[in-house]
């Protein structure tokens, strides 16, 4: 039996070699356009050029996809914060740089900024391996960058150590 007779319509099944990544990239684009509300699994599948049922083989639901978009958005924000912080060694200027990067990201990428803080990273992290965390540029969290800068500012005497929660 030939493949043509097995598929009477003569259509070939579409196979997307990197569908997981393509769905995430499509969803990031959707979030840039309209924030987390714009991220819809069916629309991401359409943009990736596959059926919506194919998308469900990679993501259980919209929340699972949005978790990935959120992780990516936080990674972009953290990278921008780190890039600006690394321009100076002065603790006061580093503290200012981290704040300005946060505000600029919110102003220039409002959809992605909203998506960054939509998902709960604590529930998403249980599905990630430590090796993936170490290799991924999205692994950093803005909170980690801010925490490092605040610790440096405290060590430089700019912040009162008695006012830091948990110290």
């Amino acid at each position: 039996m030939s493949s043509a007779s097995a598929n009477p319509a003569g259509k070939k099944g579409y196979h997307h070699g990197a569908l997981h990544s393509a769905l995430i990239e499509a969803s990031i684009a959707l979030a840039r356009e309209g924030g987390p509300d714009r991220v819809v699994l069916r629309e991401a599948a359409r943009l990736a050029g596959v059926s919506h049922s194919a998308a469900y083989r990679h993501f259980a639901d919209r929340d699972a996809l949005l978790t990935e978009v959120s992780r990516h958005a936080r990674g972009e924000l953290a990278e921008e914060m780190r890039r600006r912080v690394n321009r100076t060694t002065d603790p006061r200027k580093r503290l200012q740089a981290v704040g300005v990067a946060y505000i600029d990201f919110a102003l220039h990428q409002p959809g992605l900024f909203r998506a960054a803080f939509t998902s709960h990273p604590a529930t998403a992290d249980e599905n990630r391996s430590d090796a993936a965390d170490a290799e991924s540029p999205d692994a950093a969290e803005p909170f980690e960058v801010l925490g490092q800068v605040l610790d440096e500012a405290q060590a430089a005497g700019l912040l009162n150590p008695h006012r830091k929660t948990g110290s």
Side-chain angles (χ1 to χ4, degrees):
M1 178 187 288
S2 73
S3 61
S5 61
N7 187 350
K11 293 183 181 178
K12 292 184 178 181
Y14 179 73
H15 177 72
H16 198 300
L19 181 54
H20 185 84
S21 296
L23 290 167
I24 293 170
E25 290 301 317
S27 297
I28 291 166
L30 291 169
R32 283 187 202 281
E33 290 174 8
D37 293 338
R38 184 78 171 89
V39 178
V40 178
L41 202 53
R42 186 178 290 266
E43 181 65 10
R46 187 187 69 73
L47 290 174
V50 297
S51 70
H52 68 275
S53 61
Y56 283 101
R57 292 186 195 114
H58 294 273
F59 296 97
D61 55 23
R62 176 185 179 270
D63 288 341
L65 181 59
L66 193 54
T67 295
E68 291 297 321
V69 173
S70 176
R71 181 180 292 122
H72 173 85
R74 289 190 316 272
E76 272 195 35
L77 173 57
E79 182 59 33
E80 181 60 20
M81 292 166 79
R82 190 178 306 102
R83 188 178 65 75
R84 292 189 189 194
V85 164
N86 288 339
R87 291 179 183 167
T88 183
T89 58
D90 179 87
R92 187 179 307 272
K93 289 180 180 177
R94 288 170 66 86
L95 187 56
Q96 180 181 9
V98 79
V100 170
Y102 182 89
I103 291 168
D104 281 351
F105 191 85
L107 292 173
H108 298 291
Q109 296 280 351
L112 208 54
F113 180 81
R114 288 192 323 272
F117 301 105
T118 295
S119 180
H120 301 286
T123 59
D125 287 345
E126 62 193 38
N127 296 326
R128 295 185 70 184
S129 71
D130 290 338
D133 287 346
E135 294 173 11
S136 172
D138 296 345
E141 291 288 334
F143 181 77
E144 294 169 355
V145 178
L146 175 61
Q148 176 187 352
V149 171
L150 288 172
D151 289 345
E152 293 168 0
Q154 181 181 338
L158 298 174
L159 300 175
N160 183 342
H162 301 293
R163 297 194 66 184
K164 183 177 178 184
T165 304
S167 60

